[in-house]
Amino acid sequence: MSHTPSPGIITPKLRASTIVSMLKKGIRSSGRGLMEYRQIEIVPGYVRNADGSALVRLGNTVVVAGVKLEIGTPYHDTPNEGALVVNAEFMPTASPTFEPGPPDENAIELARIIDRSLRELKAIDMSKLSIIPGKKVWVVYVDIYVLDHDGNLVDASSIATLAALMNTSLPRVEVEEPGNVKIDRSTRLSPLPIGNKVVTVTVAKAENVLFVDPDLDEESVAETKLVIAVSDDKRIAGLQKSGIGGLTESEITQAIDIALKTGNSLIEIVASKITL
Amino acid sequence: MEKPKLIRENGLRHDGRRPDELRPIRMSVGILNKASGSALVEYGETKVLAAVHGPREIPQRHLLLPDRAIIRCRYHMLSFSTHERKSPVPTRREIELSKVIREALEPVVMSETFPRTAIDVFIEIINADGGTRTAAVTAASLAIADAGIPMKDMVVGVAVGKVEGVLVLDIDEAEDMFGQADMPVAIAPSLGLVTLLQLNGVLTKEEFSEALRLAFVGANQVYEKAREALRDRYMKARVEE
């Protein structure tokens, strides 16, 4: 059952009101502009044993995403297509408020937002992931681990996911007897087939001011957030209002404009850092 | 399920509706005996029951907040509500929807009126034919109103979809399954606030603006029905006294 959360780490009232009054004047305690992201650092191939991976630092938020490819059976309605499984975990390393255990509703929501954006845009060309048509396909497991939490986990995870997928290569497979397939991870044949690229842009709202990439302090004063998945061809590939408040029609339109302007530069940052 | 032709030559949908037409909507309020408030809402074949208990004290006192009531919400599908049997184990989808529905209700419920209590909202999907989360928001709103809990506005839900290139209002299961996009929206019409917004699919900016406009058109109609349902429950009762 989902319940109203208690404020995890309490932001002192004085600091909260300072953050809000500054936002109203268009400035942020970090010195960033309202439409400015924090510094983004991407380390592709951070995990050697993964088939693709990336560590992403978005300011002080740290996320590692890894891809593991396994051989599985296709879904019966898509017999010649691979499958995608996205999972996210908020590690106890990331915040004193994160407990070990199965993913909570926030982690599940995050994983499902990213899963939907990839799936709907066909970010991975699943038709090229068939090994034995109708019998064996690649299953792409994307696992996202939040290691340090300083706000905007969704965008950091989405950047890490895109980077990890672009860093993924398909291993060679040996078809032994009919129906029995073995993975040879020592030989890499080709990159994972990527279609359109997608990232999320999170627009937060506090006292009717809209701004991107909220840090943890700013999240504590934000009434709500709109997560907008943006594709490299400037389409909206998913939306999720997340958090307690609401948005007016014009705020939503503004947020979408902001996201469509910002999304491509994030995708370009990822693309410029990726090497297989 | 076989894919029907979703948009016919005459521009009508597979069930004969116009693109901007809702399914037949039925609502009844105060239908359960023991709950503080309840409502049954039907959008076509989608049938959703909502019950509210509280504001009340709960054994899990550590969850309670000193300055407001907490809202607890569970979206739950009955095992036989879908084509394939749904396992009674809570799915990731149900966990996510419980959260987004709660967050759709939070902005309108005057929870500061009842500190250190819980308002529990239980949503049971009895039959699923598309648009269950949006019907659930409407049902939950009515049940909270029926429980006599003060609200700034009612929230009502409606989904907009894109099928065969056409934006359509209040999509059903076939349109969701074989369509190109599904955008559930919940709106508090008097406040002019969108309190739930999701998009599963890809839309251009222009398509999105049109879809949002369509959602407002639909929500206003659902809102009228919801007010009517409350009037039916309470105004008529007064006459009988």
Side-chain angles (χ1 to χ4, degrees), chain A residues 18-187:
Chain A
T18 309
I19 293 168
V20 171
S21 61
M22 283 170 77
L23 282 171
K24 280 189 190 161
K25 292 179 197 145
I27 44 180
R28 300 166 84 168
S29 52
S30 54
R32 280 191 284 159
L34 294 182
M35 301 308 149
E36 201 179 326
Y37 267 72
R38 289 169 286 179
Q39 180 91 28
I40 299 169
E41 192 187 314
I42 302 171
V43 187
Y46 186 74
V47 182
R48 189 59 63 86
N49 282 345
D51 294 311
S53 65
L55 178 95
V56 166
R57 290 180 214 275
L58 177 59
N60 290 323
T61 289
V62 184
V63 171
V64 62
V67 178
K68 270 292 195 185
L69 298 164
E70 285 183 10
I71 292 163
T73 46
Y75 294 114
H76 61 85
D77 52 341
T78 52
N80 300 318
E81 289 187 13
L84 170 68
V85 178
V86 181
N87 186 55
E89 279 186 52
F90 294 177
M91 311 303 282
T93 58
S95 163
T97 64
F98 292 167
E99 297 283 339
D104 69 354
E105 61 178 27
N106 298 302
I108 289 173
E109 183 187 36
L110 182 150
R112 286 176 59 86
I113 291 171
I114 290 174
D115 180 302
R116 287 195 287 261
S117 69
L118 297 171
R119 204 176 289 280
E120 291 302 326
L121 199 65
K122 301 185 170 47
I124 304 167
D125 188 349
M126 292 296 181
S127 65
K128 291 188 183 143
L129 296 184
S130 176
I131 299 169
I132 303 172
K135 294 214 162 62
K136 296 286 176 192
V137 296
W138 285 114
V139 182
V140 181
Y141 287 93
V142 176
D143 288 293
I144 299 160
Y145 295 96
V146 174
L147 302 181
D148 209 350
H149 178 17
D150 190 31
N152 202 7
L153 299 181
V154 178
D155 292 358
S157 301
S158 143
I159 292 167
T161 300
L162 178 62
L165 288 171
M166 290 172 72
N167 177 250
T168 302
S169 54
L170 292 170
R172 197 171 72 88
V173 289
E174 286 168 32
V175 182
E176 294 180 319
E177 310 126 38
N180 194 6
V181 186
K182 220 177 123 188
I183 304 175
D184 169 19
R185 289 191 201 275
S186 64
T187 317

Side-chain angles (χ1 to χ4, degrees), chain B residues 54-167:
Chain B
R56 62 178 176 180
E57 295 192 323
I58 52 169
Q60 305 88 327
R61 303 190 65 89
H62 64 281
L63 295 179
L64 298 176
L65 295 174
D67 56 344
R68 54 165 292 177
I70 61 166
I71 299 176
R72 299 196 295 178
C73 176
R74 186 182 78 155
Y75 167 101
H76 175 248
M77 300 183 101
L78 304 195
S79 60
F80 43 69
S81 65
T82 49
H83 288 281
E84 305 271 313
R85 178 172 185 271
K86 199 232 132 225
S87 152
V89 184
T91 59
R92 287 163 67 88
R93 178 177 172 278
E94 285 173 305
I95 292 168
E96 185 198 351
L97 294 197
S98 298
K99 177 178 190 280
V100 295
I101 291 168
R102 176 179 57 74
E103 291 176 342
L105 300 169
E106 298 260 18
V108 297
V109 176
M110 296 174 72
S111 49
E112 65 277 10
T113 324
F114 306 102
R116 294 189 178 283
T117 64
I119 298 166
D120 289 341
V121 182
F122 294 101
I123 294 159
E124 306 297 340
I125 308 302
I126 295 172
N127 193 62
D129 187 32
T132 57
R133 85 194 68 180
T134 47
V137 170
T138 307
S141 260
L142 282 170
I144 295 169
D146 183 44
I149 296 168
M151 296 160 92
K152 294 175 195 157
D153 194 2
M154 278 203 293
V155 212
V156 292
V158 70
V160 178
K162 181 179 165 190
V163 297
E164 293 172 8
V166 182
L167 291 170

